[in-house]
Amino acid sequence: MSEITGFTASTATALPLYVLDRSQFEAWKATQPAATQAWLGAQGFNAAAHSVALLPGSDGLAGAVIGVGDRADAYSYAHAPHALPEGSVWQLASELSADEQALLQLGWGLGSYRFDRYRKRNRAPAQLVAAPQGEVADLIAASLRVRDWVNTPTEDMGPQQLEDAARALADAHGAQVEAITGDALLQQNFPAIHAVGRASHRAPRLVVLRWGKESDPALVVVGKGVCFDTGGLDIKPADGMRNMKKDMGGAAHALALAGLVMAQQLPVRLTLLVPAVENAIGPDAFRPGEVIATRKGLSVEIDNTDAEGRVILCDALTFASEQQPDLVLDFATLTGAARIALGPDLPALF
């Protein structure tokens, strides 16, 4: 998995970094030398959100200003690592509250990310003199895990690899993992998960991770793990299928959230459930018109095999309810209609 990048402990070559929003800019600008004021004026710089201005000095670069919008949003700071010169080192020169400094670090860590498993990075991020600790470091690490898992092509991120990811988290935090795989899904009454995943050469499974004290409130986290979605026999067109490696994004989010809960030692009794399948096309693929049994005992008629996510989740959510939880959180890339209704930036929450 990707390491956290964009930070350094060395101040030897650090330059001052001013973090300003538009409401602060004019007052700050008035405190600067006349040459700096003229330089910023010539560029029309006003600290608008996601902007950067490099400040000239007698020996070259003397500092920089990054413009931010919502100071309570970590992504307001995320443009800086790749907008500032490669290899440059920066030390905060503005007065930020402790919360704002934490958000700056979080945004910087997220903005420094590049997925480089299959190719060499073409540039390194600028470095911030800071050392993310505690919750900030755990949040960055969890976010990078989600991005890496979703970005990884299916040949390297199938049901077995999702199970491996859960086992790695369990090993790191002292949790227990079991996987109900292949025909064992039928034997243990998870027929809907089996039906969707049975056509693939990679066996479907339900991954179950448990952690925490029996006396703590019960939290169940569920994530849709369709590692690739062809649409099944109701096959997607090419443009619709192109990015379906991301159909395990719910599982990636659930896995990373479970890791974050354990890293932060939250007082909960955690159960993580990941139904992991490929919705493949083959002789044993489930078909339109079939009536599929479910763990709850209800039958569902399949009208379209590209509506597979709700089929695997019904078994997982029934099992989640059997744990008598205080709270269930379920994450899924569950239908493009949500994107049509709300756009690319707003999640649909139920």
Side-chain angles (χ1 to χ4, degrees):
M1 293 289 103
S2 293
E3 298 293 328
I4 296 174
T5 59
F7 300 96
T8 181
S10 174
T11 61
T13 60
L15 295 167
L17 179 69
Y18 301 95
V19 179
L20 304 169
D21 59 38
R22 295 182 70 169
S23 67
Q24 301 169 310
F25 177 68
E26 289 300 328
W28 172 85
K29 180 181 172 184
T31 68
Q32 300 304 301
T36 301
Q37 295 187 44
W39 174 260
L40 293 168
Q43 298 179 75
F45 183 80
N46 61 2
H50 310 302
S51 62
V52 170
L54 301 178
L55 305 178
S58 57
D59 297 320
L61 192 58
V65 183
I66 63 169
V68 299
D70 182 357
R71 302 173 74 85
D73 180 1
Y75 286 101
S76 292
Y77 311 91
H79 62 293
H82 286 284
L84 294 166
E86 181 178 11
S88 56
V89 179
W90 302 93
Q91 190 160 23
L92 182 63
S94 298
E95 289 189 12
L96 300 184
S97 69
D99 287 345
E100 289 170 343
Q101 289 186 50
L103 289 165
L104 169 64
Q105 291 181 6
L106 177 58
W108 198 285
L110 297 178
S112 297
Y113 173 82
R114 291 294 183 271
F115 184 58
D116 54 10
R117 176 169 177 172
Y118 300 96
R119 64 179 183 180
K120 192 174 181 179
R121 276 195 186 219
N122 56 13
R123 85 186 295 277
Q127 306 287 299
L128 181 67
V129 176
Q133 302 290 332
E135 183 178 350
V136 173
D138 290 339
L139 282 167
I140 296 172
S143 298
L144 300 194
R145 288 191 187 105
V146 176
R147 293 177 180 190
D148 276 353
W149 289 329
V150 172
N151 285 330
T152 300
T154 306
E155 72 265 25
D156 293 321
M157 187 50 66
Q160 180 64 61
Q161 285 78 17
L162 280 181
E163 179 186 335
D164 293 345
R167 292 190 182 280
L169 286 175
D171 289 345
H173 298 289
Q176 292 77 47
V177 172
E178 65 172 316
I180 305 165
T181 304
D183 289 343
L185 289 165
L186 296 175
Q187 297 160 12
Q188 297 190 44
N189 194 24
F190 295 98
I193 297 173
H194 183 274
V196 173
R198 71 193 186 201
S200 174
H201 66 291
R202 298 200 267 189
R205 66 203 66 208
L206 176 66
V207 181
V208 183
L209 178 150
R210 301 183 189 275
W211 175 89
K213 299 176 183 177
E214 287 293 324
S215 58
D216 285 333
L219 167 66
V220 182
V221 179
V222 185
K224 174 187 168 185
V226 177
C227 296
F228 195 85
D229 183 18
T230 64
L233 294 177
D234 288 306
I235 190 169
K236 292 179 183 287
D239 59 347
M241 201 190 302
R242 170 62 181 85
N243 291 316
M244 282 299 103
K245 65 178 182 180
K246 70 178 176 64
D247 214 14
M248 42 63 71
H253 194 95
L255 279 162
L257 177 59
L260 183 59
V261 166
M262 293 187 288
Q264 287 286 297
Q265 293 286 304
L266 299 187
V268 296
R269 174 161 50 93
L270 172 68
T271 302
L272 168 71
L273 303 176
V274 175
V277 304
E278 282 191 76
N279 189 19
I281 297 171
D284 202 23
F286 76 129
R287 295 169 284 269
E290 286 189 357
V291 178
I292 302 289
T294 71
R295 183 174 183 85
K296 189 173 182 179
L298 298 175
S299 301
V300 294
E301 182 179 9
I302 303 301
D303 182 59
N304 187 313
T305 61
D306 196 19
E308 83 300 329
R310 65 208 71 186
V311 179
I312 65 170
L313 285 171
C314 74
D315 273 0
L317 288 168
T318 298
F319 187 58
S321 299
E322 292 167 11
Q323 313 308 303
Q324 297 185 318
D326 295 284
L327 178 66
V328 176
L329 297 175
D330 172 37
F331 299 95
T333 52
L334 196 58
T335 192
R339 188 183 184 100
I340 293 168
L342 299 174
D345 296 324
L346 296 177
L349 303 178
F350 298 90

